[in-house]
Amino acid sequence: MVKTEILGTDATALTRAADLLRAGSLVAMPTETVYGLAGDAGSDAAVAAIYAAKGRPSFNPLIAHVADMEMAQRLADFPPEALALARAFWPGPLTLVLPLCAGAAVAPRVTAGLPTLAIRMPAHPAARALLREFGGPLAAPSANPSGRISPTEPAHVIDGLGGRIAAVIDGGPCDVGVESTILSVAPDGALRLLRPGGIGAEKILEHTGLTLPAPEAQAEKIEAPGQMLSHYAPRGQVRLNVTDPRPDEVLLAFGPSDSRYSLSQTGDLAEAAANLFRRLHEMDRDGIERIAVAPVPETGIGRAINDRLRRAAAPRD
């Protein structure tokens, strides 16, 4: 066990965080999506420590977070379609899975042995400042035990990983609340949606003219984070698309409701996304054993919400 420091977002605190990372320690950092568990992406020992702290399967690759395009293009090859996506949505909640550059300074464990790298440029100012201060890419999956609810507040990180990591940067609640959209871009420019997230197909078409194929069925081989069938799971059992909860269930509502737990009383999908993991953490804290989730529209960011809910409700090992 280690004493987990709580750091601010001022320059002195971020210098401390960067020093810890250079020493091979792990630091949870805020992003606009969820809190990430950051480690030096070039250090095999630091990346191994991420997998160990989370209890994460070694076949599940990590996302490399970068400060700017110069850093990104030292790590991965960008076809024209990938450059268009990066120009439109970086910094922001979009991860691109791209061919790994020959000789890229990334530990093999980051890619889980694949010839591709998942890479993104976060929008949160503290994350950007930390990346600049550190001066290199940071591998950063969600800062929670593997398979459990993602953290959107510093307290969620401490609840799951306190005593196992060096520090948490307190950047307040995350704005988006669900993880980034993950797109694979092949050398010929072909796109595949590997994980729905904060940027939907409609926005991608509007801003780039690129048409996004429908989400693929459950992959036999994991190519990117968030593809495992059971993921984001609370302690209680989850039942989806419920309009009439059973007597032993507690409703996670969407739209007007008397339930104590609501994603959005007004039926606002952006608010629901920001609240999703927060409400599941609250239900965990309150010991809710059976969760009935109201229907959520399968449009816009609702697709990402439903993706996370389906994985939360999936059978567990």
Side-chain angles (χ1 to χ4, degrees):
M1 294 285 286
V2 299
K3 178 177 173 54
T4 300
E5 298 180 43
I6 307 297
L7 301 175
T9 57
D10 58 279
T12 300
L14 294 178
T15 297
R16 169 62 177 162
D19 288 343
L20 289 169
L21 290 163
R22 293 187 192 100
S25 298
L26 306 182
V27 175
M29 68 176 183
T31 77
E32 70 279 17
T33 57
V34 300
Y35 273 74
L37 181 57
D40 181 355
S43 165
D44 201 54
V47 176
I50 293 175
Y51 280 99
K54 285 177 60 70
R56 185 182 179 94
S58 61
F59 56 77
N60 196 359
L62 305 177
I63 296 173
H65 292 65
V66 297
D68 50 43
M69 280 300 297
E70 181 182 356
M71 188 182 295
Q73 290 179 301
R74 290 199 298 264
L75 303 178
D77 292 324
F78 281 73
E81 293 79 5
L83 288 172
L85 288 161
R87 283 194 295 267
F89 298 111
W90 279 2
L94 176 68
T95 293
L96 298 175
V97 176
L98 303 168
L100 184 67
C101 284
V106 175
R109 292 177 195 257
V110 173
T111 65
L114 298 171
T116 54
L117 177 67
I119 187 168
R120 96 171 178 102
M121 188 188 301
H124 195 289
R128 301 286 305 285
L130 177 63
L131 283 158
R132 288 192 295 268
E133 178 70 23
F134 181 69
L138 293 172
S142 56
N144 59 299
S146 183
R148 298 301 311 283
I149 310 167
S150 298
T152 57
E153 299 177 7
H156 300 162
V157 180
I158 295 297
D159 286 347
L161 297 177
R164 301 170 70 181
I165 63 175
V168 178
I169 298 170
D170 184 352
C174 300
D175 292 334
V176 177
V178 293
E179 293 85 352
S180 59
T181 301
I182 301 183
L183 295 180
S184 169
V185 187
D188 64 1
L191 302 181
R192 289 187 299 138
L193 176 61
L194 301 182
R195 181 179 73 183
I199 297 174
E202 301 90 345
K203 284 188 178 180
I204 289 170
L205 178 62
E206 176 187 352
H207 290 280
T208 68
L210 297 171
T211 300
L212 197 59
E216 298 187 347
Q218 176 65 27
E220 292 185 8
K221 183 175 182 180
I222 302 297
E223 299 180 70
Q227 289 188 297
M228 296 183 69
L229 181 60
S230 178
H231 209 36
Y232 316 108
R235 294 186 176 90
Q237 294 298 309
V238 177
R239 191 165 68 96
L240 303 180
N241 298 313
V242 177
T243 56
D244 186 17
R246 297 166 182 161
D248 63 344
E249 292 178 326
V250 175
L251 179 66
L252 178 56
F254 178 78
S257 171
D258 293 332
S259 175
R260 177 180 174 186
Y261 306 96
S262 176
L263 296 174
S264 172
Q265 284 285 344
T266 62
D268 181 272
L269 286 172
E271 181 183 22
N275 282 332
L276 174 60
F277 294 136
R278 186 173 299 121
R279 295 294 175 264
L280 290 176
H281 276 287
E282 290 171 358
M283 296 178 96
D284 257 11
R285 180 198 64 202
D286 294 343
I288 306 303
E289 296 182 357
R290 297 188 182 277
I291 301 169
V293 184
V296 176
E298 190 78 18
T299 59
I301 202 169
R303 296 188 185 98
I305 296 170
N306 282 312
D307 172 79
R308 304 311 188 268
L309 287 169
R310 283 190 288 270
R311 295 178 194 276
R316 305 171 194 177
D317 295 335

